[in-house]
Short mmCIF file of all heavy atoms in Angstrom, two decimals:
data_model
loop_
_atom_site.label_atom_id
_atom_site.label_comp_id
_atom_site.label_asym_id
_atom_site.label_seq_id
_atom_site.Cartn_x
_atom_site.Cartn_y
_atom_site.Cartn_z
N MET A 150 93.75 125.10 93.99
CA MET A 150 92.83 124.22 94.69
C MET A 150 91.50 124.22 93.89
O MET A 150 91.01 125.24 93.51
CB MET A 150 92.60 124.71 96.10
CG MET A 150 91.51 123.94 96.82
SD MET A 150 91.08 124.59 98.45
CE MET A 150 92.57 124.26 99.33
N ILE A 151 90.93 123.03 93.71
CA ILE A 151 89.65 122.88 93.05
C ILE A 151 88.59 122.64 94.10
O ILE A 151 88.74 121.80 94.98
CB ILE A 151 89.68 121.66 92.11
CG1 ILE A 151 90.79 121.79 91.06
CG2 ILE A 151 88.31 121.47 91.44
CD1 ILE A 151 90.59 122.84 90.04
N VAL A 152 87.50 123.39 94.02
CA VAL A 152 86.36 123.23 94.87
C VAL A 152 85.22 122.75 93.96
O VAL A 152 84.71 123.48 93.13
CB VAL A 152 85.93 124.59 95.55
CG1 VAL A 152 84.71 124.37 96.44
CG2 VAL A 152 87.10 125.15 96.35
N ASP A 153 84.87 121.46 94.16
CA ASP A 153 83.84 120.83 93.29
C ASP A 153 82.47 120.96 93.91
O ASP A 153 82.18 120.30 94.90
CB ASP A 153 84.22 119.36 93.05
CG ASP A 153 83.41 118.75 91.94
OD1 ASP A 153 82.39 119.34 91.51
OD2 ASP A 153 83.76 117.63 91.50
N ALA A 154 81.63 121.80 93.33
CA ALA A 154 80.25 121.95 93.82
C ALA A 154 79.26 121.58 92.68
O ALA A 154 78.09 122.03 92.73
CB ALA A 154 80.05 123.40 94.28
N ARG A 155 79.72 120.78 91.76
CA ARG A 155 78.80 120.37 90.68
C ARG A 155 77.66 119.58 91.28
O ARG A 155 77.83 118.75 92.16
CB ARG A 155 79.54 119.53 89.65
CG ARG A 155 80.57 120.35 88.86
CD ARG A 155 81.35 119.51 87.91
NE ARG A 155 82.30 118.68 88.69
CZ ARG A 155 83.18 117.85 88.19
NH1 ARG A 155 83.30 117.73 86.89
NH2 ARG A 155 83.94 117.16 88.95
N GLY A 156 76.44 119.84 90.77
CA GLY A 156 75.27 119.14 91.23
C GLY A 156 74.60 119.78 92.42
O GLY A 156 73.51 119.38 92.82
N HIS A 157 75.21 120.77 93.02
CA HIS A 157 74.63 121.46 94.16
C HIS A 157 73.96 122.77 93.73
O HIS A 157 74.40 123.42 92.82
CB HIS A 157 75.68 121.78 95.23
CG HIS A 157 76.30 120.57 95.84
ND1 HIS A 157 75.70 119.89 96.88
CD2 HIS A 157 77.43 119.93 95.55
CE1 HIS A 157 76.46 118.86 97.23
NE2 HIS A 157 77.52 118.84 96.42
N ARG A 158 72.90 123.12 94.45
CA ARG A 158 72.16 124.36 94.16
C ARG A 158 72.55 125.45 95.17
O ARG A 158 73.09 125.17 96.23
CB ARG A 158 70.64 124.09 94.25
CG ARG A 158 70.08 123.01 93.34
CD ARG A 158 70.16 123.32 91.86
NE ARG A 158 69.28 124.46 91.58
CZ ARG A 158 69.24 125.06 90.41
NH1 ARG A 158 70.03 124.65 89.44
NH2 ARG A 158 68.45 126.07 90.18
N CYS A 159 72.26 126.68 94.81
CA CYS A 159 72.50 127.83 95.63
C CYS A 159 71.87 127.63 97.02
O CYS A 159 70.75 127.11 97.09
CB CYS A 159 71.88 129.05 94.95
SG CYS A 159 72.02 130.59 95.86
N PRO A 160 72.54 127.94 98.09
CA PRO A 160 73.81 128.61 98.19
C PRO A 160 75.02 127.71 98.37
O PRO A 160 76.11 128.21 98.68
CB PRO A 160 73.62 129.48 99.46
CG PRO A 160 72.82 128.53 100.36
CD PRO A 160 71.92 127.79 99.38
N THR A 161 74.88 126.44 98.19
CA THR A 161 75.94 125.48 98.50
C THR A 161 77.24 125.77 97.74
O THR A 161 78.32 125.74 98.37
CB THR A 161 75.49 124.02 98.24
OG1 THR A 161 74.32 123.79 99.06
CG2 THR A 161 76.58 123.03 98.58
N PRO A 162 77.26 126.08 96.43
CA PRO A 162 78.53 126.36 95.80
C PRO A 162 79.32 127.49 96.49
O PRO A 162 80.53 127.37 96.76
CB PRO A 162 78.17 126.74 94.38
CG PRO A 162 76.92 125.96 94.13
CD PRO A 162 76.18 126.06 95.44
N SER A 163 78.65 128.59 96.84
CA SER A 163 79.31 129.69 97.50
C SER A 163 79.79 129.34 98.89
O SER A 163 80.87 129.73 99.31
CB SER A 163 78.36 130.93 97.61
OG SER A 163 78.12 131.45 96.31
N LEU A 164 78.99 128.55 99.58
CA LEU A 164 79.37 128.10 100.92
C LEU A 164 80.63 127.18 100.88
O LEU A 164 81.50 127.31 101.71
CB LEU A 164 78.20 127.39 101.64
CG LEU A 164 76.99 128.25 101.95
CD1 LEU A 164 75.85 127.38 102.49
CD2 LEU A 164 77.37 129.35 102.92
N LYS A 165 80.65 126.29 99.91
CA LYS A 165 81.80 125.41 99.77
C LYS A 165 83.08 126.24 99.44
O LYS A 165 84.15 125.97 99.96
CB LYS A 165 81.60 124.37 98.65
CG LYS A 165 80.70 123.25 99.06
CD LYS A 165 80.51 122.28 97.88
CE LYS A 165 80.03 120.94 98.35
NZ LYS A 165 81.03 119.91 98.35
N LEU A 166 82.91 127.23 98.60
CA LEU A 166 84.04 128.12 98.24
C LEU A 166 84.51 128.89 99.48
O LEU A 166 85.70 128.97 99.72
CB LEU A 166 83.65 129.08 97.12
CG LEU A 166 84.70 130.04 96.64
CD1 LEU A 166 85.93 129.27 96.13
CD2 LEU A 166 84.14 130.99 95.57
N GLN A 167 83.55 129.43 100.23
CA GLN A 167 83.93 130.18 101.48
C GLN A 167 84.71 129.28 102.43
O GLN A 167 85.72 129.71 103.00
CB GLN A 167 82.68 130.67 102.17
CG GLN A 167 82.15 131.97 101.69
CD GLN A 167 81.00 132.43 102.49
OE1 GLN A 167 79.99 131.72 102.68
NE2 GLN A 167 81.09 133.62 103.04
N LYS A 168 84.27 128.03 102.58
CA LYS A 168 84.98 127.11 103.50
C LYS A 168 86.38 126.85 102.99
O LYS A 168 87.33 126.85 103.79
CB LYS A 168 84.19 125.82 103.60
CG LYS A 168 84.78 124.85 104.57
CD LYS A 168 83.97 123.58 104.73
CE LYS A 168 84.68 122.70 105.75
NZ LYS A 168 84.33 121.32 105.61
N ALA A 169 86.54 126.62 101.73
CA ALA A 169 87.86 126.35 101.16
C ALA A 169 88.78 127.58 101.31
O ALA A 169 89.98 127.44 101.59
CB ALA A 169 87.77 125.97 99.69
N MET A 170 88.21 128.77 101.17
CA MET A 170 89.05 129.98 101.29
C MET A 170 89.53 130.20 102.72
O MET A 170 90.59 130.81 102.90
CB MET A 170 88.26 131.20 100.81
CG MET A 170 88.12 131.23 99.30
SD MET A 170 87.48 132.80 98.69
CE MET A 170 85.87 132.87 99.41
N ARG A 171 88.79 129.72 103.71
CA ARG A 171 89.24 129.84 105.10
C ARG A 171 90.57 129.13 105.34
O ARG A 171 91.34 129.54 106.16
CB ARG A 171 88.16 129.32 106.06
CG ARG A 171 87.06 130.30 106.31
CD ARG A 171 86.25 129.88 107.51
NE ARG A 171 85.41 128.72 107.23
CZ ARG A 171 84.16 128.74 106.84
NH1 ARG A 171 83.54 129.92 106.69
NH2 ARG A 171 83.44 127.67 106.62
N ASP A 172 90.77 128.02 104.60
CA ASP A 172 92.02 127.27 104.78
C ASP A 172 93.12 127.66 103.81
O ASP A 172 94.22 127.15 103.89
CB ASP A 172 91.71 125.75 104.57
CG ASP A 172 90.74 125.22 105.64
OD1 ASP A 172 90.77 125.74 106.76
OD2 ASP A 172 90.00 124.30 105.32
N ALA A 173 92.80 128.58 102.88
CA ALA A 173 93.75 128.98 101.87
C ALA A 173 94.62 130.18 102.36
O ALA A 173 94.17 130.98 103.18
CB ALA A 173 93.02 129.35 100.57
N ALA A 174 95.78 130.30 101.81
CA ALA A 174 96.67 131.40 102.13
C ALA A 174 96.14 132.68 101.48
O ALA A 174 95.42 132.65 100.47
CB ALA A 174 98.05 131.10 101.63
N PRO A 175 96.47 133.86 102.08
CA PRO A 175 96.13 135.11 101.43
C PRO A 175 96.68 135.18 100.01
O PRO A 175 97.85 134.81 99.75
CB PRO A 175 96.78 136.16 102.33
CG PRO A 175 96.91 135.51 103.64
CD PRO A 175 97.19 134.04 103.34
N GLY A 176 95.86 135.59 99.09
CA GLY A 176 96.26 135.70 97.69
C GLY A 176 96.24 134.41 96.94
O GLY A 176 96.66 134.33 95.76
N ALA A 177 95.76 133.33 97.54
CA ALA A 177 95.67 132.02 96.89
C ALA A 177 94.60 132.02 95.80
O ALA A 177 93.63 132.76 95.84
CB ALA A 177 95.41 130.91 97.90
N ARG A 178 94.82 131.19 94.80
CA ARG A 178 93.85 131.06 93.69
C ARG A 178 93.11 129.71 93.86
O ARG A 178 93.75 128.70 94.10
CB ARG A 178 94.51 131.17 92.38
CG ARG A 178 95.03 132.58 92.13
CD ARG A 178 95.50 132.75 90.73
NE ARG A 178 95.83 134.15 90.53
CZ ARG A 178 96.00 134.74 89.35
NH1 ARG A 178 95.88 134.01 88.28
NH2 ARG A 178 96.31 135.96 89.25
N LEU A 179 91.80 129.79 93.70
CA LEU A 179 90.97 128.60 93.76
C LEU A 179 90.06 128.58 92.55
O LEU A 179 89.76 129.62 91.98
CB LEU A 179 90.09 128.63 95.04
CG LEU A 179 90.77 128.56 96.38
CD1 LEU A 179 91.17 129.91 96.85
CD2 LEU A 179 89.84 127.92 97.34
N THR A 180 89.66 127.37 92.16
CA THR A 180 88.70 127.23 91.06
C THR A 180 87.47 126.52 91.60
O THR A 180 87.56 125.43 92.14
CB THR A 180 89.31 126.41 89.93
OG1 THR A 180 90.46 127.09 89.44
CG2 THR A 180 88.29 126.22 88.79
N LEU A 181 86.33 127.18 91.44
CA LEU A 181 85.05 126.59 91.81
C LEU A 181 84.40 125.98 90.58
O LEU A 181 84.31 126.65 89.54
CB LEU A 181 84.10 127.64 92.38
CG LEU A 181 82.67 127.17 92.67
CD1 LEU A 181 82.62 126.19 93.81
CD2 LEU A 181 81.75 128.36 92.93
N LEU A 182 84.04 124.72 90.66
CA LEU A 182 83.30 124.03 89.56
C LEU A 182 81.85 123.94 90.02
O LEU A 182 81.58 123.40 91.13
CB LEU A 182 83.85 122.63 89.31
CG LEU A 182 85.32 122.55 88.89
CD1 LEU A 182 85.74 121.11 88.76
CD2 LEU A 182 85.58 123.35 87.62
N ALA A 183 80.97 124.48 89.25
CA ALA A 183 79.54 124.52 89.62
C ALA A 183 78.62 124.36 88.41
O ALA A 183 78.96 124.83 87.31
CB ALA A 183 79.23 125.87 90.33
N THR A 184 77.52 123.71 88.62
CA THR A 184 76.54 123.54 87.57
C THR A 184 75.33 124.47 87.78
O THR A 184 74.49 124.61 86.89
CB THR A 184 76.06 122.10 87.47
OG1 THR A 184 75.70 121.63 88.77
CG2 THR A 184 77.13 121.17 86.91
N ASP A 185 75.23 125.07 88.93
CA ASP A 185 74.13 126.02 89.25
C ASP A 185 74.45 127.37 88.59
O ASP A 185 75.45 127.99 88.92
CB ASP A 185 73.96 126.20 90.74
CG ASP A 185 72.80 127.08 91.10
OD1 ASP A 185 72.16 127.65 90.18
OD2 ASP A 185 72.52 127.23 92.30
N PRO A 186 73.61 127.83 87.62
CA PRO A 186 73.89 129.08 86.96
C PRO A 186 73.93 130.28 87.90
O PRO A 186 74.53 131.29 87.59
CB PRO A 186 72.77 129.20 85.92
CG PRO A 186 71.73 128.22 86.30
CD PRO A 186 72.41 127.16 87.14
N MET A 187 73.32 130.21 89.03
CA MET A 187 73.36 131.30 90.01
C MET A 187 74.78 131.56 90.56
O MET A 187 75.05 132.69 91.02
CB MET A 187 72.38 131.05 91.19
CG MET A 187 70.92 131.18 90.81
SD MET A 187 70.52 132.78 90.11
CE MET A 187 70.83 133.84 91.52
N ALA A 188 75.66 130.58 90.47
CA ALA A 188 77.03 130.79 90.96
C ALA A 188 77.69 131.88 90.12
O ALA A 188 78.55 132.60 90.67
CB ALA A 188 77.83 129.50 90.79
N ARG A 189 77.27 132.13 88.90
CA ARG A 189 77.83 133.17 88.06
C ARG A 189 77.53 134.55 88.71
O ARG A 189 78.29 135.52 88.49
CB ARG A 189 77.21 133.11 86.66
CG ARG A 189 77.78 134.08 85.67
CD ARG A 189 77.05 134.00 84.32
NE ARG A 189 77.20 132.78 83.63
CZ ARG A 189 78.18 132.44 82.82
NH1 ARG A 189 79.15 133.34 82.60
NH2 ARG A 189 78.21 131.30 82.17
N ILE A 190 76.45 134.64 89.46
CA ILE A 190 76.07 135.89 90.10
C ILE A 190 76.55 135.90 91.56
O ILE A 190 77.10 136.89 92.05
CB ILE A 190 74.55 136.06 90.07
CG1 ILE A 190 74.06 136.17 88.62
CG2 ILE A 190 74.09 137.26 90.91
CD1 ILE A 190 72.58 136.02 88.45
N ASP A 191 76.36 134.79 92.25
CA ASP A 191 76.67 134.71 93.68
C ASP A 191 78.14 134.86 94.00
O ASP A 191 78.52 135.56 94.96
CB ASP A 191 76.20 133.39 94.30
CG ASP A 191 74.67 133.23 94.26
OD1 ASP A 191 74.00 134.27 94.13
OD2 ASP A 191 74.20 132.12 94.40
N VAL A 192 79.01 134.22 93.23
CA VAL A 192 80.46 134.24 93.55
C VAL A 192 81.05 135.64 93.41
O VAL A 192 81.77 136.08 94.30
CB VAL A 192 81.22 133.18 92.74
CG1 VAL A 192 82.72 133.31 92.93
CG2 VAL A 192 80.78 131.78 93.19
N PRO A 193 80.75 136.40 92.33
CA PRO A 193 81.26 137.76 92.30
C PRO A 193 80.80 138.62 93.45
O PRO A 193 81.59 139.43 93.99
CB PRO A 193 80.75 138.29 90.95
CG PRO A 193 80.63 137.04 90.10
CD PRO A 193 80.15 136.00 91.04
N HIS A 194 79.57 138.45 93.89
CA HIS A 194 79.08 139.20 95.05
C HIS A 194 79.81 138.79 96.32
O HIS A 194 80.21 139.64 97.14
CB HIS A 194 77.56 138.99 95.26
CG HIS A 194 76.72 139.74 94.32
ND1 HIS A 194 76.63 141.13 94.34
CD2 HIS A 194 75.96 139.36 93.29
CE1 HIS A 194 75.82 141.55 93.40
NE2 HIS A 194 75.41 140.48 92.71
N LEU A 195 80.05 137.51 96.48
CA LEU A 195 80.82 137.03 97.61
C LEU A 195 82.24 137.59 97.64
O LEU A 195 82.70 138.12 98.66
CB LEU A 195 80.89 135.46 97.60
CG LEU A 195 81.90 134.80 98.53
CD1 LEU A 195 81.51 135.01 99.99
CD2 LEU A 195 82.04 133.34 98.22
N MET A 196 82.88 137.52 96.50
CA MET A 196 84.27 138.00 96.42
C MET A 196 84.38 139.50 96.68
O MET A 196 85.26 139.95 97.35
CB MET A 196 84.90 137.62 95.10
CG MET A 196 84.97 136.10 94.88
SD MET A 196 85.70 135.17 96.21
CE MET A 196 87.41 135.68 96.08
N ALA A 197 83.43 140.26 96.17
CA ALA A 197 83.41 141.70 96.37
C ALA A 197 83.22 141.99 97.88
O ALA A 197 83.81 142.91 98.43
CB ALA A 197 82.31 142.37 95.54
N GLY A 198 82.37 141.23 98.51
CA GLY A 198 82.09 141.45 99.95
C GLY A 198 83.28 141.12 100.85
O GLY A 198 83.37 141.72 101.96
N ILE A 199 84.17 140.23 100.42
CA ILE A 199 85.27 139.86 101.32
C ILE A 199 86.59 140.45 100.88
O ILE A 199 87.64 140.26 101.51
CB ILE A 199 85.40 138.33 101.45
CG1 ILE A 199 85.73 137.71 100.11
CG2 ILE A 199 84.14 137.72 102.04
CD1 ILE A 199 86.15 136.23 100.22
N GLY A 200 86.59 141.17 99.76
CA GLY A 200 87.82 141.78 99.30
C GLY A 200 88.66 140.95 98.38
O GLY A 200 89.83 141.25 98.12
N GLY A 201 88.12 139.81 97.88
CA GLY A 201 88.84 138.98 96.94
C GLY A 201 88.49 139.42 95.55
O GLY A 201 87.85 140.45 95.34
N ARG A 202 88.88 138.61 94.58
CA ARG A 202 88.52 138.96 93.20
C ARG A 202 88.24 137.72 92.35
O ARG A 202 88.79 136.68 92.62
CB ARG A 202 89.57 139.83 92.56
CG ARG A 202 90.85 139.15 92.23
CD ARG A 202 91.85 140.14 91.66
NE ARG A 202 93.06 139.43 91.24
CZ ARG A 202 93.48 139.32 90.00
NH1 ARG A 202 92.83 139.87 89.02
NH2 ARG A 202 94.59 138.65 89.74
N VAL A 203 87.38 137.93 91.36
CA VAL A 203 87.10 136.90 90.39
C VAL A 203 88.09 137.11 89.22
O VAL A 203 88.21 138.19 88.69
CB VAL A 203 85.67 136.98 89.87
CG1 VAL A 203 85.41 135.98 88.75
CG2 VAL A 203 84.70 136.75 91.02
N ILE A 204 88.80 136.07 88.89
CA ILE A 204 89.79 136.17 87.80
C ILE A 204 89.13 135.83 86.47
O ILE A 204 89.32 136.52 85.47
CB ILE A 204 90.96 135.21 88.07
CG1 ILE A 204 91.66 135.66 89.36
CG2 ILE A 204 91.91 135.17 86.91
CD1 ILE A 204 92.59 134.63 89.93
N SER A 205 88.30 134.78 86.46
CA SER A 205 87.62 134.41 85.19
C SER A 205 86.42 133.51 85.49
O SER A 205 86.38 132.87 86.56
CB SER A 205 88.56 133.69 84.24
OG SER A 205 88.96 132.42 84.76
N ILE A 206 85.49 133.54 84.58
CA ILE A 206 84.35 132.64 84.64
C ILE A 206 84.19 132.06 83.24
O ILE A 206 83.96 132.78 82.25
CB ILE A 206 83.03 133.38 85.02
CG1 ILE A 206 83.13 134.03 86.39
CG2 ILE A 206 81.81 132.41 84.98
CD1 ILE A 206 81.94 134.88 86.75
N ILE A 207 84.36 130.74 83.16
CA ILE A 207 84.26 130.04 81.89
C ILE A 207 83.23 128.94 82.02
O ILE A 207 83.28 128.15 82.98
CB ILE A 207 85.63 129.44 81.47
CG1 ILE A 207 86.65 130.57 81.31
CG2 ILE A 207 85.51 128.62 80.19
CD1 ILE A 207 88.07 130.09 81.15
N GLU A 208 82.32 128.82 81.04
CA GLU A 208 81.33 127.76 81.03
C GLU A 208 81.62 126.79 79.91
O GLU A 208 81.78 127.24 78.77
CB GLU A 208 79.92 128.34 80.91
CG GLU A 208 78.85 127.24 81.01
CD GLU A 208 77.45 127.78 81.05
OE1 GLU A 208 77.28 129.01 81.10
OE2 GLU A 208 76.51 126.95 81.08
N THR A 209 81.71 125.52 80.25
CA THR A 209 81.94 124.46 79.28
C THR A 209 81.01 123.34 79.55
O THR A 209 81.02 122.77 80.65
CB THR A 209 83.40 123.99 79.34
OG1 THR A 209 84.28 125.08 79.22
CG2 THR A 209 83.69 122.95 78.24
N ASP A 210 80.16 123.01 78.56
CA ASP A 210 79.21 121.88 78.70
C ASP A 210 78.41 121.98 79.97
O ASP A 210 78.17 120.98 80.65
CB ASP A 210 79.93 120.56 78.64
CG ASP A 210 80.63 120.31 77.32
OD1 ASP A 210 80.13 120.78 76.28
OD2 ASP A 210 81.71 119.65 77.30
N GLY A 211 77.92 123.19 80.33
CA GLY A 211 77.05 123.36 81.48
C GLY A 211 77.77 123.44 82.81
O GLY A 211 77.12 123.51 83.83
N VAL A 212 79.07 123.40 82.79
CA VAL A 212 79.85 123.49 84.05
C VAL A 212 80.59 124.84 84.08
O VAL A 212 81.36 125.14 83.15
CB VAL A 212 80.87 122.34 84.20
CG1 VAL A 212 81.71 122.51 85.46
CG2 VAL A 212 80.13 120.99 84.21
N LEU A 213 80.34 125.57 85.11
CA LEU A 213 81.07 126.84 85.30
C LEU A 213 82.38 126.54 86.00
O LEU A 213 82.40 125.81 87.00
CB LEU A 213 80.26 127.79 86.17
CG LEU A 213 78.98 128.35 85.56
CD1 LEU A 213 78.12 129.05 86.63
CD2 LEU A 213 79.30 129.35 84.48
N ALA A 214 83.46 127.14 85.52
CA ALA A 214 84.77 127.10 86.17
C ALA A 214 85.06 128.56 86.56
O ALA A 214 85.32 129.36 85.69
CB ALA A 214 85.84 126.54 85.29
N ILE A 215 84.93 128.84 87.85
CA ILE A 215 85.12 130.22 88.33
C ILE A 215 86.44 130.30 89.10
O ILE A 215 86.57 129.68 90.16
CB ILE A 215 83.96 130.64 89.22
CG1 ILE A 215 82.61 130.46 88.48
CG2 ILE A 215 84.13 132.08 89.68
CD1 ILE A 215 81.35 130.70 89.26
N ASP A 216 87.40 131.00 88.52
CA ASP A 216 88.70 131.19 89.17
C ASP A 216 88.65 132.44 90.02
O ASP A 216 88.25 133.50 89.54
CB ASP A 216 89.80 131.32 88.10
CG ASP A 216 90.04 130.07 87.34
OD1 ASP A 216 89.95 128.96 87.95
OD2 ASP A 216 90.27 130.13 86.14
N VAL A 217 89.05 132.29 91.29
CA VAL A 217 89.05 133.41 92.22
C VAL A 217 90.38 133.53 92.93
O VAL A 217 91.14 132.56 92.94
CB VAL A 217 87.90 133.29 93.27
CG1 VAL A 217 86.55 133.22 92.58
CG2 VAL A 217 88.12 132.07 94.16
N GLU A 218 90.61 134.68 93.49
CA GLU A 218 91.79 134.92 94.28
C GLU A 218 91.36 135.41 95.66
O GLU A 218 90.56 136.35 95.76
CB GLU A 218 92.69 135.94 93.64
CG GLU A 218 94.03 136.17 94.34
CD GLU A 218 94.87 137.15 93.55
OE1 GLU A 218 94.70 138.34 93.72
OE2 GLU A 218 95.74 136.66 92.76
N THR A 219 91.87 134.76 96.71
CA THR A 219 91.47 135.15 98.07
C THR A 219 92.01 136.54 98.40
O THR A 219 92.99 136.99 97.77
CB THR A 219 91.99 134.14 99.12
OG1 THR A 219 93.40 134.13 99.07
CG2 THR A 219 91.41 132.76 98.89
N PRO A 220 91.43 137.19 99.38
CA PRO A 220 91.94 138.52 99.74
C PRO A 220 93.40 138.44 100.19
O PRO A 220 93.79 137.47 100.82
CB PRO A 220 91.07 138.95 100.92
CG PRO A 220 89.84 138.11 100.83
CD PRO A 220 90.29 136.82 100.16
N VAL A 221 94.16 139.43 99.85
CA VAL A 221 95.56 139.53 100.25
C VAL A 221 95.58 140.10 101.66
O VAL A 221 94.83 141.01 101.94
CB VAL A 221 96.39 140.39 99.28
CG1 VAL A 221 97.79 140.52 99.72
CG2 VAL A 221 96.30 139.80 97.88
N ALA A 222 96.44 139.55 102.47
CA ALA A 222 96.57 140.06 103.88
C ALA A 222 96.98 141.53 103.83
O ALA A 222 97.83 141.91 103.03
CB ALA A 222 97.59 139.24 104.64
N PRO A 223 96.38 142.34 104.70
CA PRO A 223 96.77 143.73 104.74
C PRO A 223 98.22 143.94 105.19
O PRO A 223 98.72 143.16 105.99
CB PRO A 223 95.81 144.33 105.76
CG PRO A 223 95.29 143.21 106.57
CD PRO A 223 95.40 141.97 105.70
N THR A 224 98.89 144.89 104.62
CA THR A 224 100.25 145.18 105.03
C THR A 224 100.24 146.29 106.09
O THR A 224 99.49 147.22 106.00
CB THR A 224 101.12 145.64 103.82
OG1 THR A 224 100.47 146.80 103.23
CG2 THR A 224 101.24 144.55 102.81
N ASP A 225 101.08 146.11 107.08
CA ASP A 225 101.13 147.10 108.17
C ASP A 225 102.29 148.02 108.02
O ASP A 225 103.27 147.74 107.50
CB ASP A 225 101.23 146.39 109.53
CG ASP A 225 99.97 145.60 109.84
OD1 ASP A 225 98.88 146.04 109.43
OD2 ASP A 225 100.07 144.55 110.46
#
């Protein structure tokens, strides 16, 4: 799933990503597209706080592509 937050400033990219993750399955992979350089800092903090992970951060022509994985559902 692609979450397009290009042109938005902090905290909107992280908020858009959070909203998309609520609808995603546990362990799903999403890509956030953002032009705000703070997303490079904010998204890893967000993912650490919720138990997800950042897979990669790649910047091309001023656009960050941040691949993340949602938290996996706990096993009982």
Side-chain angles (χ1 to χ4, degrees):
M150 172 187 292
I151 303 290
V152 180
D153 191 349
R155 292 176 289 183
H157 294 279
R158 302 293 295 171
C159 178
T161 302
S163 292
L164 294 173
K165 284 180 161 253
L166 181 59
Q167 276 184 304
K168 183 178 181 201
M170 286 191 299
R171 280 194 288 265
D172 297 330
R178 291 189 175 196
L179 294 87
T180 299
L181 173 68
L182 301 177
T184 49
D185 184 354
M187 288 302 296
R189 186 185 295 273
I190 297 167
D191 294 342
V192 173
H194 284 291
L195 167 66
M196 298 310 290
I199 64 168
R202 70 182 184 115
V203 175
I204 298 165
S205 67
I206 301 175
I207 299 170
E208 184 172 356
T209 306
D210 297 328
V212 177
L213 292 167
I215 304 174
D216 293 322
V217 301
E218 185 176 84
T219 62
V221 178
T224 56
D225 294 326

